[in-house]
Amino acid sequence: MTISKLNFTKLCLLLLVITSCSHQKVVAQKPNILFIFSDDAGYADFGFQGSKDFSTPNLDALAKTGVKFTQAYVSAAVCGPSRAGLLTGKYQQKFGFEENNVKGYMSSSSRYLGDKMGLPLNQVTVADYLKKLGYKTAVFGKWHMGHADEFHPLKRGFDEFVGFRSGARSYWAYNDEDPSGEIEKYLEYGFGKYNEQPEKYMTDILADETVAFIERNKERPFFAYLSFNAVHTPMEARKDDLEKVPTHLTGRRRTLAAMTIGMDRAIGRVLNKIKELGLSKNTLIVFSNDNGGPSDTNHSSNHPLSGTKANHLEGGIRVPFLMSWQGVLTPNTIYNNPVSTLDLLPTFVNVAGGNASQIDGLDGVDLLPFVKGEINEKPHKTLFWKKENRAAVRHNEWKLIRFPDRPAELYNIEEDISEVNDLASEKPELVRELYKKLFEWELTLDRPLWQLKRLYEGKAAERMDNHRKPKIKK
């Protein structure tokens, strides 16, 4: 009798172990998600986008393994709002995140907010959703969703954070005196200070930490958001990368090319870790950029697009976009319909086993059925952009840009990618129709939670006008 009880106990323990292992196996089979985001890169400044001067062999190889999107958009032409949109899957104007959040801004009631600006706490992030679905979540690099502790990544669904809270900082280590009191520019590990080494370049640090995170979590599903500050100013590159740049490139353009080399090398290290661990068939990889390249500050090129960062011409809002998943997405695929970084949240949630259709208020869609050919229609017939009185709407092939100080402009984007042939005077009925769509959308938005100081606001408008249509290269 004693032996029978003992055997029965052993049998129960064995079944418990088998069940536990089976459960762990099911959890581990969920796809990993790696999202790589560059900062202020030019539309044309990648090999896979046609550049002959900028060396990006690792991203070029990634492009060949999956889908390259030719009409990918961000939801804003500047860093902060663009990131708020992709993290929530909603037009960020719906919750008042219309401007960049940096010190020196004012609220809509002209009340100084200091560092109390960030992604509203009632908004749910993609990391929140993925964490509930059993994912280990982490962000490495630029956050820019608020400086105060209440907006910190560890309070917005992320388990780990190695990065900085502000929108830009040096690529080299700060000492204890510099920057004075600006904690948002220091590199952090969680809520603690990261031990920056003087010889370590920021782009390499972020790759190191991402690789380590992947290694630690290879047995469970993970979401890694690698948010480079490259190639945002300040213009700082490694000396050995500068030596690799073609000699005909000079000044900031030369430094930018070197910074791009460094970023591509860092991306290659992360991608190689995925391959080394045998995770390629179980990892969705996405690469994109947060807004158009600022041709004035870092001398990026958005060719053949007109416009630059901070305006609503294509050069301010159309971005490089790659998606790869071995065995799921067909290699060397070109997808030509308009998509948006708003689509990242629903795509990631559905990949993780959730149901994005049950999330209220999303403006993005799951892209996988479209790129796999399961849905033949366009993911978006209509897309919107707005900052202050400036706004734009794209409906099918037509795009209307509204200005506060001049008549609206109308372009056929499919036929005129460089936006050089304004057809507004020829198609007044279409102008009215698109204005109506824009007005109806604006009725769904909240008031901006903060806005630029008036002095800076004027300079921003002047900057946008001066770079409205850079000369198109032949």
Side-chain angles (χ1 to χ4, degrees), residues 193-401:
K193 192 174 179 182
Y194 187 93
N195 184 24
E196 297 188 58
Q197 302 300 313
E199 71 282 1
K200 288 289 288 187
Y201 188 61
M202 174 64 69
T203 304
D204 297 323
I205 291 174
L206 300 181
D208 290 344
E209 295 296 338
T210 306
V211 165
F213 172 79
I214 292 171
E215 181 74 56
R216 290 195 304 272
N217 294 282
K218 59 188 175 183
E219 301 294 338
R220 61 175 297 173
F222 62 78
F223 169 52
Y225 170 27
L226 176 49
S227 178
F228 286 111
N229 55 320
V231 290
H232 195 292
T233 53
M235 305 306 291
E236 298 171 349
R238 280 176 31 173
K239 183 178 179 181
D240 58 333
D241 288 334
L242 283 165
E243 294 170 352
K244 301 171 186 175
V245 178
T247 56
H248 68 274
L249 294 181
T250 59
R252 290 198 167 199
R253 188 85 178 138
R254 179 178 183 79
T255 307
L256 179 67
M259 294 166 73
T260 304
I261 288 172
M263 180 176 67
D264 183 78
R265 178 183 58 250
I267 291 171
R269 290 184 50 232
V270 176
L271 299 180
N272 286 337
K273 177 56 67 172
I274 295 288
K275 295 176 185 176
E276 175 191 318
L277 296 175
L279 301 175
S280 297
K281 290 185 178 181
N282 199 41
T283 304
L284 170 64
I285 303 170
V286 177
F287 169 79
S288 192
N289 185 63
D290 65 343
N291 45 246
S295 53
D296 56 344
T297 58
N298 72 1
H299 289 198
S300 54
S301 170
N302 296 318
H303 177 75
L305 311 176
S306 287
T308 183
K309 175 182 179 178
N311 67 37
H312 292 141
L313 290 160
E314 293 291 284
I317 56 177
R318 190 185 290 208
V319 293
F321 196 104
L322 302 175
M323 182 179 288
S324 176
W325 189 355
Q326 185 177 326
V328 176
L329 298 178
T330 305
N332 288 306
T333 298
I334 304 296
Y335 190 78
N336 292 316
N337 289 324
V339 300
S340 170
T341 48
L342 297 172
D343 301 327
L344 292 175
L345 185 147
T347 301
F348 293 167
V349 167
N350 284 355
V351 162
N355 187 348
S357 66
Q358 295 181 350
I359 302 175
D360 291 335
L362 290 186
D363 295 300
V365 299
D366 180 357
L367 289 177
L368 285 183
F370 294 91
V371 297
K372 290 165 68 176
E374 297 169 0
I375 300 178
N376 293 322
E377 62 188 52
K378 295 179 180 179
H380 299 278
K381 290 184 179 180
T382 309
L383 290 168
F384 300 96
W385 299 268
K386 178 183 179 296
K387 184 182 179 185
E388 299 154 1
N389 293 326
R390 300 169 183 265
V393 53
R394 173 172 175 172
H395 182 67
N396 292 325
E397 72 272 29
W398 294 102
K399 179 181 172 186
L400 178 84
I401 306 178

Side-chain angles (χ1 to χ4, degrees), residues 84-253:
L86 77 88
L87 285 171
T88 61
K90 304 175 184 178
Y91 284 111
Q92 62 281 354
Q93 297 93 340
K94 284 185 173 181
F95 45 85
F97 201 135
E98 190 168 309
E99 300 275 10
N100 266 329
N101 55 315
V102 295
K103 288 182 177 179
Y105 278 41
M106 307 289 284
S107 71
S108 56
S109 60
S110 298
R111 180 173 58 86
Y112 181 67
L113 293 176
D115 65 352
K116 297 297 183 180
M117 292 169 288
L119 184 64
L121 302 182
N122 62 352
Q123 295 303 310
V124 184
T125 73
V126 61
D128 289 317
Y129 290 115
L130 295 181
K131 191 171 182 177
K132 289 181 179 179
L133 291 168
Y135 278 65
K136 190 73 172 178
T137 60
V139 55
F140 303 98
K142 174 174 172 175
W143 177 234
H144 207 22
M145 291 291 96
H147 299 155
D149 286 352
E150 64 212 70
F151 303 118
H152 195 276
L154 298 191
K155 294 189 175 182
R156 308 312 300 269
F158 289 97
D159 296 308
E160 298 186 22
F161 172 56
V162 176
F164 56 96
R165 305 186 197 189
S166 67
R169 57 149 284 167
S170 174
Y171 289 80
W172 302 106
Y174 288 131
N175 57 40
D176 289 336
E177 290 76 37
D178 181 22
S180 179
E182 295 187 86
I183 187 173
E184 70 274 5
K185 290 189 177 181
Y186 279 113
L187 196 60
E188 294 181 272
Y189 187 96
F191 276 101
K193 192 174 179 182
Y194 187 93
N195 184 24
E196 297 188 58
Q197 302 300 313
E199 71 282 1
K200 288 289 288 187
Y201 188 61
M202 174 64 69
T203 304
D204 297 323
I205 291 174
L206 300 181
D208 290 344
E209 295 296 338
T210 306
V211 165
F213 172 79
I214 292 171
E215 181 74 56
R216 290 195 304 272
N217 294 282
K218 59 188 175 183
E219 301 294 338
R220 61 175 297 173
F222 62 78
F223 169 52
Y225 170 27
L226 176 49
S227 178
F228 286 111
N229 55 320
V231 290
H232 195 292
T233 53
M235 305 306 291
E236 298 171 349
R238 280 176 31 173
K239 183 178 179 181
D240 58 333
D241 288 334
L242 283 165
E243 294 170 352
K244 301 171 186 175
V245 178
T247 56
H248 68 274
L249 294 181
T250 59
R252 290 198 167 199
R253 188 85 178 138

